[in-house]
Amino acid sequence: MGPVCLGCSHRRPYSPIRNPLKKLYQQTFYFHFKNVRYAWGRKNNFLCYEVNGMDCALPVPLRQGVFRKQGHIHAELCFIYWFHDKVLRVLSPMEEFKVTWYMSWSPCSKCAEQVARFLAAHRNLSLAIFSSRLYYYLRNPNYQQKLCRLIQEGVHVAAMDLPEFKKCWNKFVDNDGQPFRPWMRLRINFSFYDCKLQEIFSRMNLLREDVFYLQFNNSHRVKPVQNRYYRRKSYLCYQLERANGQEPLKGYLLYKKGEQHVEILFLEKMRSMELSQVRITCYLTWSPCPNCARQLAAFKKDHPDLILRIYTSRLYFYWRKKFQKGLCTLWRSGIHVDVMDLPQFADCWTNFVNPQRPFRPWNELEKNSWRIQRRLRRIKESWGL
């Protein structure tokens, strides 16, 4: 249950926005930031912020504090009005800023739209939003669309996990030197809200920017994020184009433990469609396993007029003979299989992540692609193809 939304005016408030708080009381933080699923009585919203300038790509702390709802004005808009008047007017408009919010509630639909417009008008800002709870994520489809609007403006949207709660406690709470005490089910509730966010983004056929950079990264090893290592999962992004010029059909699939591989889920979706005179492009984080390769080849045999192109970021167990044989099965069936390079990563970004912002390649992307392409060529040559 969310807080009562009294409406967020598109006009600036007549009364000036009060200056931010420096710290929260301990009881206030534990009550309002607790990530329970049924948040009875939590009708206020709090926003802890930090503003960093960027000096040679390194963050330089500039401001930090706490906003709460002021009358009918939600904390997000309080921050925007304050930031526009007190920060942007003082500092250089050419300087880049990195802003991070830790919120008791994610933005409502009206605030999300206002924040997106503000960011669109100030391209020197980047924003990350970590929310303890999601605001009316089930009842209001418009809310889900506005969240995706934030994503399209390059906002990193995520649920608060234990590291974010600890950081918030240490920086924004008058804690008297006491350590943060996690409540029961904190990690369980985080997983719940994280899954809900993923569901919302998947309905809009959008991947989060951080998910794309982590999961599609073609480096041999990915650096830990906030001292945590993340498993690189199987994602499949697909785009189906028809010869009659209809709007392309796009979507992505994620493998979940205990379920079928993404290639099989993809085939089930395709079999339910009319596939005459179509071209399908797939971007995968991992190349198909032998069983998926056989089923993809059989699908292509059943649809000889189908043009199917598969680009993979990384090769899955490429040194094992049966996995090499699976790749050869795909080639022999007429399916185009290749390694993702800069043009494919950029196209995948534009179609499945954020069409409004350019793709920023990671270090050694093209060098890694060249190495993986060389492995793939050697596999092809060793099997006489």
Side-chain angles (χ1 to χ4, degrees), residues 220-281:
H220 183 60
R221 288 187 177 88
V222 176
K223 294 180 180 180
V225 179
Q226 296 183 343
N227 297 320
R228 288 182 293 174
Y229 285 91
Y230 288 84
R231 182 179 180 183
R232 291 194 281 186
K233 302 176 182 179
S234 293
Y235 282 81
L236 185 154
C237 301
Y238 63 88
Q239 176 170 283
L240 186 151
E241 300 170 279
R242 299 187 183 276
N244 59 10
Q246 288 183 356
E247 184 74 15
L249 175 66
K250 302 176 186 179
Y252 77 86
L253 301 163
L254 165 64
Y255 169 73
K256 296 180 181 179
K257 189 175 180 180
E259 296 184 0
Q260 293 178 316
H261 286 190
V262 288
E263 295 88 344
I264 308 304
L265 297 175
F266 164 75
L267 290 177
E268 290 178 353
K269 186 177 285 289
M270 292 301 107
R271 288 190 179 106
S272 65
M273 300 179 184
E274 173 59 42
L275 295 178
S276 61
Q277 295 184 310
V278 299
R279 181 176 62 183
I280 304 175
T281 303

Side-chain angles (χ1 to χ4, degrees), residues 212 216 237 283 340 343-353:
F212 179 84
F216 276 87
C237 301
Y283 297 114
M340 293 178 72
Q344 288 77 40
F345 283 113
D347 185 65
C348 189
W349 172 274
T350 299
N351 284 292
F352 302 101
V353 184

Side-chain angles (χ1 to χ4, degrees), residues 357-372:
R357 291 164 65 91
F359 170 60
R360 300 187 305 276
W362 49 83
N363 291 335
E364 298 190 334
L365 180 153
E366 293 180 288
K367 185 177 181 180
N368 295 332
S369 292
W370 180 83
R371 288 173 176 170
I372 301 171

Side-chain angles (χ1 to χ4, degrees), residues 11-189:
R11 298 179 180 178
R12 291 184 61 103
Y14 292 109
S15 57
I17 296 297
R18 294 191 294 271
N19 286 329
L21 306 171
K22 292 184 177 180
K23 298 279 186 177
L24 288 170
Y25 291 118
Q26 295 181 34
Q27 298 90 333
T28 302
F29 176 79
Y30 277 121
F31 180 75
H32 284 282
F33 277 83
K34 195 171 185 179
N35 63 345
V36 291
R37 299 189 194 181
Y38 302 100
W40 305 107
R42 293 166 173 85
K43 298 181 179 180
N44 211 332
N45 75 315
F46 289 84
L47 183 156
C48 303
Y49 69 87
E50 52 184 0
V51 179
N52 291 324
M54 303 303 293
D55 183 12
C56 298
L58 296 176
V60 178
L62 297 176
R63 305 279 196 281
Q64 72 174 56
V66 181
F67 277 105
R68 62 180 297 171
K69 185 173 71 172
Q70 298 182 20
H72 297 343
I73 311 300
H74 285 190
E76 305 91 302
L77 297 190
C78 292
F79 173 89
I80 285 178
Y81 297 142
W82 168 84
F83 185 80
H84 180 270
D85 293 342
K86 301 295 179 67
V87 179
L88 288 182
R89 291 186 177 181
V90 176
L91 301 176
S92 169
M94 303 303 295
E95 185 176 354
E96 292 189 359
F97 300 98
K98 183 177 181 180
V99 180
T100 305
W101 290 353
Y102 303 94
M103 303 183 64
S104 57
W105 289 103
S106 60
C108 70
S109 57
K110 291 183 179 180
C111 284
E113 178 63 27
Q114 287 287 78
V115 172
R117 291 181 182 181
F118 185 77
L119 292 173
H122 299 84
R123 292 297 184 184
N124 58 330
L125 302 182
S126 64
L127 175 63
I129 299 177
F130 296 92
S131 301
S132 174
R133 299 178 301 272
L134 297 183
Y135 184 92
Y136 289 140
Y137 59 91
L138 289 177
R139 301 183 201 174
N140 190 348
N142 185 49
Y143 165 77
Q144 300 177 10
Q145 294 174 359
K146 297 305 181 182
L147 268 188
C148 291
R149 170 90 164 86
L150 288 175
I151 296 295
Q152 290 176 331
E153 289 299 334
V155 180
H156 170 72
V157 180
M160 289 179 70
D161 198 358
L162 182 58
E164 287 77 44
F165 285 113
K166 284 183 176 179
K167 184 174 182 179
C168 209
W169 171 268
N170 291 329
K171 295 193 73 169
F172 303 106
V173 179
D174 188 7
N175 57 40
D176 294 327
Q178 299 296 315
F180 173 66
R181 301 189 309 276
W183 46 85
M184 291 181 61
R185 301 180 66 84
L186 183 152
R187 297 303 303 274
I188 294 174
N189 290 337

